Amino acid sequence: MSSSALANEIGGGVLSRMAAGVYRLLVLAVFLILMCGPTLVAWTVLGDATSNAAFFVIALLPVGPALSAAVYAMRAWAASPDLSPARALWRGYRLNFLDTMKWWAVVVAVALVLIVNIVFAETVPFGAAFRPAGIIVLGLIGVWAGHLLVVSSLFSFRTRDSMRIAAVELFAQWKVSLGLLSLMIVAAATVHLGTELALLVFAWAFMGILWLIVQPLIADVSRRFIKND
């Protein structure tokens, strides 16, 4: 679609562009609620029992592809801000689902082992002494997964290459890593102090903040790992 067609569709005024932006965020919010809803339902059914910690982690499986689609769509909206935002979301979900699940399932499996060991550390001798190390490793895995989410959603690397690039960028883009860690802490605090529903309702805002945080990462990956002919 040409720039003139986009201008006709959205309008050239400030209010028109603001309304289009709000509409995109509303569509994103509905999409995330729809796609991550099974996780919320599972968490609600499981309740607060620590014995269900493993099932809480397994329930996160639908979240990865949904977040990947959101990242893909936000780039598409920036490049072509039309009035059909759902189209980019579903396209991103369809294109990235299998590639995302290849590494997201690994992240969930590793997180499962770590969280079970953290939660039940008291049940084994000297287990409590290793709990801080488990929490640190879990945080590193989470931040690495944030880098990997962006790399795998926006670039066409092989899965193992995306994982390596995310590991490199984890330290090379340490400011981005700190931003992702801060976002994870705020998300965990939202669940702890509020409810899982609050996190899901405001997931669109978290994704918007993530998109701003990862701009240096996107630029660095494009510069270092994309061959320009």
Side-chain angles (χ1 to χ4, degrees), residues 85-119:
R87 182 164 49 200
L89 284 165
W90 290 114
R91 176 176 172 80
Y93 190 84
R94 185 179 69 254
L95 291 178
N96 292 340
F97 181 85
L98 289 178
D99 287 338
T100 301
M101 286 303 295
K102 288 177 183 178
W103 63 263
W104 181 245
V106 175
V107 169
V108 170
V110 173
L112 171 63
V113 174
L114 289 171
I115 288 178
V116 168
N117 280 276
I118 291 169
V119 171

Side-chain angles (χ1 to χ4, degrees), residues 41-104:
V41 171
W43 284 2
T44 303
V45 171
L46 290 170
D48 298 329
T50 56
S51 58
N52 292 326
F55 298 105
F56 271 89
V57 180
I58 295 172
L60 289 171
L61 281 172
V63 174
L67 298 185
S68 177
V71 172
Y72 178 94
M74 283 188 283
R75 182 181 64 175
W77 295 339
S80 180
D82 59 27
L83 289 178
S84 301
R87 182 164 49 200
L89 284 165
W90 290 114
R91 176 176 172 80
Y93 190 84
R94 185 179 69 254
L95 291 178
N96 292 340
F97 181 85
L98 289 178
D99 287 338
T100 301
M101 286 303 295
K102 288 177 183 178
W103 63 263
W104 181 245

Side-chain angles (χ1 to χ4, degrees), residues 119-226:
V119 171
F120 298 104
E122 304 288 351
T123 61
V124 297
F126 307 107
F130 293 100
R131 179 177 285 160
I135 294 174
I136 292 173
V137 173
L138 183 63
L140 286 173
I141 292 294
V143 174
W144 173 71
H147 284 275
L148 184 51
L149 174 70
V150 175
V151 173
S152 64
S153 300
L154 302 182
F155 300 94
S156 299
F157 301 119
R158 294 174 299 181
T159 300
R160 62 176 178 270
D161 291 333
S162 294
M163 296 171 77
R164 291 169 181 166
I165 291 170
V168 170
E169 296 294 334
L170 178 66
F171 300 100
Q173 292 294 314
W174 61 269
K175 292 182 179 179
V176 174
S177 296
L178 287 178
L180 293 174
L181 180 61
S182 300
L183 198 61
M184 288 171 52
I185 292 173
V186 173
T190 301
V191 174
H192 180 69
L193 299 177
T195 63
E196 295 87 351
L197 179 60
L199 179 61
L200 184 58
V201 169
F202 290 103
W204 61 271
F206 282 92
M207 291 306 301
I209 296 171
L210 181 144
W211 181 247
L212 295 176
I213 290 173
V214 300
Q215 291 307 304
L217 169 64
I218 296 171
D220 193 54
V221 172
S222 300
R223 179 180 60 84
R224 297 176 62 185
F225 300 104
I226 301 297

Side-chain angles (χ1 to χ4, degrees), residues 25-39:
L25 292 177
L26 178 61
V27 172
L28 175 61
V30 173
F31 174 84
L32 291 174
I33 290 173
L34 176 65
M35 304 311 294
C36 299
T39 299

